[in-house]
Amino acid sequence: MVTYKIKLEYRNLRQSKLRKSEWPYLEENGSSWYASEQHLSILRDSSVTFAVEARIKFDKARVSLYQNFPKVLFTLPDADVIDSAISYAYSTTTVNKNSQIVYLGRDLKVSPENAFIVDKPGGNRRYYWQISQNPKQRAKTIDDILPEISSRIQDEDTKVVVSMGGGGLKAAAHLAFAYVLEALGRHHIDEIWGTSSGATSAIWFASGLTMEEVEKKIYWLYHKKHSILKPFSAAIIAANFFRDHLLPKKLRSKGVSSLVGNHDEMKTFLDLVLEGRRPHIPLYSVTFNISKMRTDVLSDQPTNPHYNDFIYHVPPIEAAAASGSVPVVFPPYKLDMGDGNLYSYLDGGITEPLPMKSIYRKWLIDKEKGLEKRSKLLIISSKLFSHEPPLIQPNESINHLKTLLLYESILVNVAVSQQQKYVESDPNVTHVACATPLEDMFMLDTKSIPLFIRMGKQHITQDFIDAEQLLAQSRQIRKTQK
C-alpha cells in the first residue's frame, strides 16, 4: 500500500467535475495533497492538471494505523478505504513520528471530537477516523489487550495449533473466532484442526479466505442460493434415528433412505466458496472410522509412516465431507484409503467433538521422532457447546428421542472436558479455550445463520479476554513460586 504526494491547482480542482465522493478534498484549500492509487486513477481520467512529487510506502510513513479492539473487530473496511483514509490524513493534518490514524467504526450515532469520515473513491459509507498526535493516548490494539496470548503466539519456541469443534450450521459462529485469529496474525498458525462442520470452517481459514468473504458466502445458505440438505422435518430425523439405531439390522430397509444430508451438494458448496484455493496452512480433519471403530485423522499433508493407523492423506474437501457425516442426517462417507478397501466414515464428533487429544498425540509423535524442535504447544480452540439436544427442536411427540439426545449431549461435553484436562496436564501445553453458547438452537436451521454469526461476535472477544486473564494469573503464580 502506498500514497502519492501530488501538486495541483486548487482553482483547477474546484472547476473540475469531480464529486466529493471521488475526491474528498474539494472543500479544502491548498496545493500539496496525498492521494491513494484509486484517487490517482480518478485524477488521470479527469481534466485536473497535476504532478506526482513522491511515492510513499505506508511502512515508511510517519502515520500509523490502529483499530480500536474489540469494538470494530468485525467492521474493518477494506484496503482501498484504509489507503484513502491515510492519504486524507496526510493531506489535512501536520503529521509527525507520533501520529496515528485510528479507525473508530462505521455509522456512529455520535461523532467523536476531531473525527473525519472517509470512504474509498465513489463510496458512500460513513467510516469514522481520528488522528492522534499524543503517544500516551494511543488506541489499544489487540496486542495491548491480549499481551499474554500475543506473546505466546509470536514465541519462536511455541507451536501454534487452532482447533474448531462441530455443530452443524452453528459453525457460522466460528467466523468471529477466525476474525480474532486474523487480527492476532494468521501467519503465526502452524496447523488447523477441525471436527465435523468445524473441519469445513478450518478449510476456509487455512485456504486464506478473508472472513468477510466467508461471511458473504455462508449467507448463500440463508438466502437458499445453495443447499446441502434435502427437505426434512423432525419426524424424518426421528424416523432415521429409529431405523438406524433401534431396529435390528435384519429389519432395516436397505433400498430406501430418508437421510436429509447430501454429500455431493456439500462438496459443491465448498468448491464454490473456495474458488480453486488450496490450504496454505496444514489442515487436519478428525473423523470416526466405523469400519475399524476408531478415530482417524485425514489431512492434506503427505503421508508419513510415523502416523500409521492415525493420520491419512485425503484431499481437503473429501476430508471435510467425511468428518461432517453427522449420524442420522448424513449417510456414512466412503473412502478408498489406498489399500483397495472402502472404509466408512462418520462425524468425528462421535469420539472427539473438539480436536484436542489427536493434536496432542501428533505433537508427542513429532517430538519423539525429531520432527518438532519447539518445546511448547499452544492450542487455541473454539467450541460450540450445547446443553440441549443437538439435532432437533423440542417436540412433545418425540420426548423419548429428545431425552436420548440430551444424554448424548451431556456425554459429549464430558468427553471434551476429560480430553481438555488430559492435554492441559502437560506443563508445556497452553490452552486458550473459547465457547459460544448456542444451546436451544437447531443445528440444521438455515434461518438461524444470522443469529449464529451474531452470537459468535457477541461472545468471542470476552472469551479471549477471559483466557488472557487466566494466563496472566498463571504467570503471576509461577513468578511467586520462584
Side-chain angles (χ1 to χ4, degrees):
M1 295 189 294
V2 298
T3 185
Y4 296 88
K5 184 179 181 182
I6 61 175
K7 190 167 185 177
L8 54 78
E9 289 292 330
Y10 179 67
R11 182 177 58 185
N12 185 240
L13 177 65
R14 290 290 293 168
Q15 292 173 349
S16 72
K17 295 182 179 180
L18 292 175
R19 296 174 295 165
K20 187 167 177 60
S21 64
E22 296 174 320
W23 187 256
Y25 319 119
L26 291 178
E27 296 174 0
E28 309 293 337
N29 195 353
S31 58
S32 290
W33 307 97
Y34 291 83
S36 67
E37 290 271 12
Q38 282 195 327
H39 283 132
L40 202 61
S41 177
I42 288 172
L43 283 180
R44 289 192 179 113
D45 293 336
S46 73
S47 59
V48 177
T49 302
F50 70 96
V52 176
E53 294 184 333
R55 181 178 183 271
I56 304 172
K57 288 187 177 181
F58 284 166
D59 59 359
K60 295 183 179 179
R62 291 166 293 170
V63 97
S64 303
L65 174 68
Y66 288 92
Q67 66 181 76
N68 191 3
F69 179 86
K71 186 177 179 182
V72 299
L73 182 63
F74 313 114
T75 58
L76 286 176
D78 62 32
D80 290 332
V81 182
I82 294 172
D83 287 0
S84 299
I86 293 183
S87 298
Y88 184 84
Y90 259 75
S91 299
T92 58
T93 309
T94 302
V95 295
N96 55 52
K97 63 181 181 180
N98 292 322
S99 299
Q100 62 179 230
I101 179 171
V102 183
Y103 174 55
L104 302 174
R106 180 181 162 191
D107 297 328
L108 302 184
K109 294 180 180 179
V110 178
S111 178
E113 186 178 357
N114 300 323
F116 61 92
I117 301 170
V118 168
D119 192 2
K120 60 187 172 184
N124 295 309
R125 292 178 175 172
R126 299 176 64 81
Y127 294 111
Y128 283 79
W129 310 82
Q130 196 174 53
I131 297 291
S132 172
Q133 306 284 11
N134 187 346
K136 293 182 180 179
Q137 297 177 351
R138 182 171 66 84
K140 289 187 176 182
T141 66
I142 194 166
D143 291 339
D144 297 324
I145 293 177
L146 306 176
E148 293 287 341
I149 295 174
S150 295
S151 64
R152 282 168 169 78
I153 286 177
Q154 297 170 28
D155 179 16
E156 294 182 356
D157 193 35
T158 298
K159 178 179 181 178
V160 182
V161 180
V162 168
S163 171
M164 297 184 180
L169 294 174
K170 294 179 184 180
H174 283 317
L175 275 170
F177 175 68
Y179 271 108
V180 179
L181 295 179
E182 275 193 323
L184 286 166
R186 193 191 300 230
H187 58 285
H188 294 302
I189 298 169
D190 297 296
E191 293 175 0
I192 301 180
W193 291 60
T195 290
S196 192
S197 56
T200 300
S201 302
I203 290 182
W204 295 336
F205 191 74
S207 300
L209 286 164
T210 67
M211 291 307 101
E212 290 85 355
E213 289 178 281
V214 174
E215 188 165 343
K216 288 177 183 176
K217 291 174 179 178
I218 285 179
Y219 270 96
W220 290 351
L221 299 176
Y222 173 71
H223 293 298
K224 302 190 183 302
K225 292 181 179 179
H226 195 88
S227 177
I228 59 174
L229 301 171
K230 303 171 188 175
F232 68 93
S233 65
I236 290 178
I237 294 177
N240 290 339
F241 186 90
F242 180 77
R243 182 197 62 197
D244 295 338
H245 298 278
L246 301 180
L247 280 180
K249 283 187 178 180
K250 61 182 180 181
L251 295 180
R252 296 178 192 175
S253 170
K254 295 183 179 180
V256 179
S257 174
S258 58
L259 297 174
V260 300
N262 189 318
H263 284 130
D264 290 336
E265 288 297 327
M266 177 196 286
K267 292 192 292 184
T268 298
F269 176 65
L270 288 175
D271 272 328
L272 289 171
V273 173
L274 291 172
E275 295 180 336
R277 294 179 178 90
R278 304 289 295 175
H280 63 269
I281 301 174
L283 184 65
Y284 298 85
S285 300
V286 178
T287 64
F288 182 67
N289 185 334
I290 57 176
S291 301
K292 294 196 171 184
M293 298 302 290
R294 71 183 186 201
T295 297
D296 284 353
V297 176
L298 311 181
S299 175
D300 65 326
Q301 298 300 294
T303 302
N304 189 315
H306 296 310
Y307 309 132
N308 280 341
D309 297 327
F310 175 37
I311 300 177
Y312 301 88
H313 174 72
V314 171
I317 290 179
E318 298 285 322
S323 183
S325 294
V326 181
V328 183
V329 179
F330 283 91
Y333 195 77
K334 307 286 186 180
L335 280 174
D336 182 350
M337 305 307 289
D339 59 1
N341 295 316
L342 276 178
Y343 294 95
S344 297
Y345 285 92
L346 282 176
D347 194 313
I350 292 173
T351 54
E352 202 165 347
L354 179 71
M356 290 290 291
K357 188 170 63 175
S358 294
I359 293 173
Y360 184 59
R361 179 183 173 187
K362 179 180 180 296
W363 186 63
L364 292 178
I365 292 173
D366 289 347
K367 287 179 67 65
E368 179 187 347
K369 301 298 182 181
L371 303 174
E372 179 57 70
K373 304 298 183 183
R374 290 166 291 190
S375 65
K376 290 173 282 187
L377 173 65
L378 171 64
I379 301 175
I380 308 175
S381 71
S382 174
K383 175 190 170 191
L384 310 174
F385 67 85
S386 173
H387 302 306
E388 285 291 314
L391 291 177
I392 61 171
Q393 294 171 315
N395 187 312
E396 290 301 322
S397 65
I398 46 176
N399 273 335
H400 293 296
L401 179 58
K402 177 183 174 182
T403 302
L404 286 172
L405 292 173
L406 178 57
Y407 284 137
E408 179 195 23
S409 180
I410 292 171
L411 291 173
V412 164
N413 281 281
V414 170
V416 170
S417 178
Q418 289 178 338
Q419 290 175 19
Q420 286 180 1
K421 288 178 181 178
Y422 167 68
V423 172
E424 291 169 1
S425 65
D426 188 327
N428 294 313
V429 177
T430 300
H431 181 208
V432 173
C434 301
T436 303
L438 296 175
E439 60 266 21
D440 295 323
M441 297 182 192
F442 187 30
M443 65 179 280
L444 302 179
D445 184 12
T446 56
K447 294 179 182 178
S448 295
I449 286 175
L451 177 60
F452 298 152
I453 294 173
R454 187 166 65 250
M455 290 288 287
K457 291 179 178 181
Q458 285 175 357
H459 289 87
I460 200 65
T461 50
Q462 190 59 51
D463 279 350
F464 273 95
I465 291 170
D466 290 344
E468 173 69 24
Q469 292 173 348
L470 289 174
L471 292 178
Q473 291 170 7
S474 176
R475 180 187 286 273
Q476 191 60 39
I477 290 172
R478 291 197 306 270
K479 209 174 188 181
T480 308
Q481 290 173 343
K482 289 181 181 179

